[in-house]
Amino acid sequence: MFAFHNGRFVQEDETRIHFDDRGLTFGDGIFEVLRTINGRLLFFTEHIERLLASAAFFGMQMPYDEEQVRTTARELIDRNRVTDGELYLELTRGVDATRRHRYPRAGTPPTFFMLAFPLRPLDSGNWERGATVYTYPDLRHGLCEHKTLNLLPNILAKNAAYEKGGYEALLHREDAEGRYVTEGGSSSYFCVRDGQLFTPAVRNILASITRQKVIDLARAMGHTITESRVGLEFLLGAQEVFLVSTVSKVMPVRSVDETSFPAPGEMTRRLMAAYEGVFVAGFEPI
Amino acid sequence: MFAFHNGRFVQEDETRIHFDDRGLTFGDGIFEVLRTINGRLLFFTEHIERLLASAAFFGMQMPYDEEQVRTTARELIDRNRVTDGELYLELTRGVDATRRHRYPRAGTPPTFFMLAFPLRPLDSGNWERGATVYTYPDLRHGLCEHKTLNLLPNILAKNAAYEKGGYEALLHREDAEGRYVTEGGSSSYFCVRDGQLFTPAVRNILASITRQKVIDLARAMGHTITESRVGLEFLLGAQEVFLVSTVSKVMPVRSVDETSFPAPGEMTRRLMAAYEGVFVAGFEPI
């Protein structure tokens, strides 16, 4: 398998990263994960624009423009003969001589690499009968509108869910009004109450591309969506719950902890079907 | 310069890290920074015990015991001819075949490396006349009792301070009672009011080794220390403020944003002098 690293195609299992890469020592970097099928890239423009916006926010240099990434990504996918897979992009603030918090001096090259690999094995039963989900405290930082490398709280939450046989964790914070649910460990979520859709507003959660596609789709279908704080009790009292992400697409939720939901529910079923059209149309032509 | 990496001494500038190292993709790792002088290691046992405790907390394997790390660290320092310097240790959950949140299967070797390099250049004026410090929102996660690789919020805070010519950032959170100060971007802090010392209790801040040494020292000197929430206004109304860390030792603070403090103040001066004794005694014999 090949990787694309700082301008070159290299073997993925070659070790190319320095001990002093700020991605490795400080989590000083960002990433994207895209879906690829038959050499086409799903919502490529949206992903690369989000990466560029986060790079600008953190003051990181992105050494390639959108067209260069597109061309290189396609070659990488082609070289690795990935037909149905994932494309991973990572950008870090580069290598500094010794570990210092201070940003490297201007002109220090960033580290950029891409990996392309077959789609992770997924249990189709999660779409047919719904996924099991477990709640976990949201221990994340205040930079969750960006896809940063600071993912240890997500790792803990998702692995706690995996240990119980779950598919995903739903993260909750607490304030004076009680517990509220922010997002999944690597997905967004919606719930349905009385025929209306609810999902958290983008405040320290990711402006998920799939989330926005589903919002646009649901509105086009005439549904009402409220973007606001979703209390845990409110969520547990919903008629339907579903996850959305690049890999999960629209995935019904069968249970959150001990609470069961019909899966897929009526609204979820309609959105799953409609999203397939968005999904297919969202792949950039070769 | 040499690095010690997974059992071998290698050149530090060799690239030895995989694209798929979980330290690089998820920040799934922990670290320590120690001070070394003439081949001796400051508070080695405390640092290694903290690393081992955090590894256990996160379910990470640490492949070397305390004595192996000690012996290897000394050889690394010796090979690099570091007389007055720093030793950096990093442990990650290792390399997985492709990027997955799920922990690698049991037996997957972790990544462990150590770097040894000369002490960063420090302005002695910071101890003589005090450091300038700037406040910044504490955007960190809920895992701050551990030295994790999830340091992007610290990086932002410290670089905002650097841009203003400051030495360190002091991080503040907000609750119903107002703003309170948690710790520095890479240090702990104390303030003095009416002859008494105040510092935050260890609740989502690091159980800093230097902090504990200073607490023990101050108590032995007969001072009263309160470990509790320190409001920002309370801090700004203090008679003295000082930072503590492995590298900063006890460092007086001359200003926090626009508020000036006598630096070094009386209490700070006494603790700086007394800490020199702890510092010298704290180096493990060769």
Side-chain angles (χ1 to χ4, degrees):
Chain A
M1 297 285 275
F2 287 92
F4 177 80
H5 175 239
N6 288 351
R8 294 173 56 198
F9 290 95
V10 298
Q11 292 296 319
E12 192 191 322
D13 60 2
E14 286 175 26
T15 56
R16 290 277 168 185
I17 302 293
H18 283 86
F19 299 117
D20 290 309
D21 195 292
R22 295 175 64 96
L24 182 68
T25 50
F26 291 119
D28 194 4
I30 54 181
F31 73 101
E32 287 288 334
V33 178
L34 284 81
R35 188 68 189 280
T36 173
I37 298 182
N38 296 329
R40 297 160 74 184
L41 292 158
L42 181 64
F43 306 138
F44 177 80
T45 302
E46 288 90 334
H47 282 279
I48 201 77
E49 282 177 359
R50 185 168 65 187
L51 184 80
L52 291 169
S54 288
F57 177 86
F58 290 115
M60 288 194 266
Q61 295 295 318
M62 171 62 186
Y64 305 101
D65 66 19
E66 182 174 333
E67 194 46 41
Q68 289 169 314
V69 176
R70 192 195 319 264
T71 307
T72 316
R74 283 184 179 150
E75 182 173 344
L76 179 65
I77 290 161
D78 194 43
R79 282 178 178 238
N80 286 347
R81 296 197 170 82
V82 173
T83 49
D84 189 358
E86 301 173 45
L87 177 74
Y88 177 78
L89 286 72
E90 181 169 324
L91 176 68
T92 86
R93 211 182 298 270
V95 178
D96 208 355
T98 39
R99 182 184 178 275
R100 295 286 178 273
H101 291 84
R102 191 180 292 271
Y103 294 147
R105 64 175 188 284
T108 299
T111 298
F112 177 75
F113 66 92
M114 289 193 288
L115 311 174
F117 42 87
L119 184 67
R120 63 193 79 181
L122 291 164
D123 178 0
S124 64
N126 284 324
W127 285 284
E128 292 156 13
R129 297 179 299 278
T132 54
V133 169
Y134 291 93
T135 61
Y136 197 86
D138 188 344
L139 301 176
R140 298 176 307 159
H141 42 74
L143 300 169
C144 293
E145 293 181 26
H146 305 275
K147 288 185 86 82
T148 78
L149 305 179
N150 290 219
L151 293 171
L152 190 43
N154 308 59
I155 292 290
L156 295 185
K158 288 182 75 85
N159 280 278
Y162 296 154
E163 276 164 30
K164 295 177 196 164
Y167 174 80
E168 174 62 304
L170 273 183
L171 307 174
H172 55 76
R173 291 189 180 254
E174 193 149 7
D175 64 11
E177 295 174 61
R179 283 187 176 172
Y180 61 103
V181 182
T182 53
E183 59 186 325
S186 62
S187 53
S188 304
Y189 76 93
F190 292 73
C191 65
V192 181
R193 280 182 75 125
D194 305 321
Q196 296 192 23
L197 287 155
F198 296 86
T199 195
V202 177
R203 285 191 204 101
N204 201 33
I205 66 165
L206 187 69
S208 153
I209 291 162
T210 313
R211 171 187 176 279
Q212 191 57 51
K213 297 289 177 191
V214 169
I215 288 174
D216 295 346
L217 179 65
R219 288 205 171 120
M221 291 164 74
H223 298 304
T224 303
I225 300 188
T226 305
E227 294 178 63
S228 66
R229 182 185 188 281
V230 175
L232 178 57
E233 290 307 314
F234 182 89
L235 175 76
L236 294 177
Q239 282 90 50
E240 302 176 34
V241 178
F242 59 89
L243 304 174
V244 308
S245 81
T246 291
V247 168
S248 300
K249 304 201 276 188
V250 176
M251 180 181 285
V253 169
R254 178 170 67 187
S255 63
V256 176
D257 297 336
E258 305 303 314
T259 304
S260 295
F261 301 91
E266 266 305 301
M267 175 87 85
T268 307
R269 197 193 310 266
R270 283 198 294 270
L271 287 166
M272 285 170 73
Y275 183 74
E276 283 303 314
V278 176
F279 184 78
V280 170
F283 283 94
E284 296 214 348
I286 296 167
Chain B
M1 298 286 275
F2 287 93
F4 177 80
H5 174 238
N6 288 352
R8 294 173 56 198
F9 290 95
V10 298
Q11 291 297 319
E12 191 191 323
D13 61 2
E14 286 175 27
T15 56
R16 290 276 168 185
I17 301 294
H18 282 86
F19 298 116
D20 290 310
D21 195 293
R22 295 176 63 97
L24 182 68
T25 50
F26 291 119
D28 193 5
I30 53 180
F31 73 101
E32 288 288 334
V33 178
L34 283 81
R35 188 68 189 280
T36 172
I37 298 182
N38 296 329
R40 298 161 74 183
L41 292 157
L42 182 64
F43 306 137
F44 177 80
T45 302
E46 288 90 334
H47 282 279
I48 201 76
E49 281 176 359
R50 185 168 66 188
L51 184 79
L52 290 169
S54 287
F57 177 86
F58 290 115
M60 289 195 263
Q61 295 295 318
M62 171 63 186
Y64 306 101
D65 66 21
E66 183 175 331
E67 194 47 41
Q68 289 169 314
V69 176
R70 192 196 318 264
T71 307
T72 317
R74 283 184 180 149
E75 182 172 345
L76 179 64
I77 290 161
D78 194 42
R79 282 179 180 238
N80 286 347
R81 295 198 171 82
V82 173
T83 48
D84 190 359
E86 300 173 44
L87 177 75
Y88 177 78
L89 286 72
E90 181 169 325
L91 176 69
T92 86
R93 210 181 298 269
V95 179
D96 208 357
T98 40
R99 182 186 177 275
R100 295 286 178 272
H101 291 84
R102 191 181 292 270
Y103 294 147
R105 64 175 189 284
T108 299
T111 298
F112 177 76
F113 66 91
M114 290 193 286
L115 311 175
F117 42 87
L119 185 67
R120 63 193 77 184
L122 290 164
D123 178 359
S124 63
N126 285 323
W127 284 284
E128 291 156 14
R129 296 179 299 278
T132 55
V133 170
Y134 292 93
T135 61
Y136 197 86
D138 188 344
L139 301 176
R140 298 175 307 160
H141 42 73
L143 301 169
C144 293
E145 293 181 26
H146 305 275
K147 287 185 86 83
T148 79
L149 304 180
N150 290 219
L151 293 172
L152 190 44
N154 308 59
I155 292 290
L156 296 185
K158 288 181 75 85
N159 280 278
Y162 295 153
E163 277 164 30
K164 295 176 196 164
Y167 174 80
E168 174 62 304
L170 273 182
L171 307 174
H172 56 76
R173 292 189 179 254
E174 193 148 7
D175 64 13
E177 295 174 62
R179 283 186 176 172
Y180 61 103
V181 182
T182 53
E183 58 187 325
S186 61
S187 53
S188 304
Y189 76 94
F190 292 72
C191 66
V192 181
R193 279 181 76 125
D194 305 321
Q196 296 191 23
L197 287 154
F198 296 86
T199 195
V202 177
R203 284 191 204 101
N204 202 33
I205 66 164
L206 186 70
S208 153
I209 291 161
T210 313
R211 172 186 176 280
Q212 191 58 51
K213 297 290 177 190
V214 169
I215 288 174
D216 295 345
L217 179 65
R219 289 207 170 120
M221 291 165 73
H223 299 304
T224 303
I225 301 188
T226 305
E227 294 178 66
S228 67
R229 182 185 187 283
V230 175
L232 178 56
E233 289 308 314
F234 183 89
L235 176 76
L236 295 177
Q239 281 92 48
E240 302 177 34
V241 179
F242 58 90
L243 304 174
V244 307
S245 81
T246 291
V247 168
S248 300
K249 303 201 276 187
V250 175
M251 181 181 284
V253 168
R254 177 170 67 188
S255 63
V256 176
D257 297 335
E258 304 304 313
T259 304
S260 295
F261 300 91
E266 266 304 300
M267 175 87 84
T268 306
R269 198 193 309 265
R270 283 199 294 270
L271 286 166
M272 286 170 73
Y275 183 75
E276 284 302 314
V278 175
F279 183 79
V280 170
F283 282 94
E284 295 213 350
I286 295 168

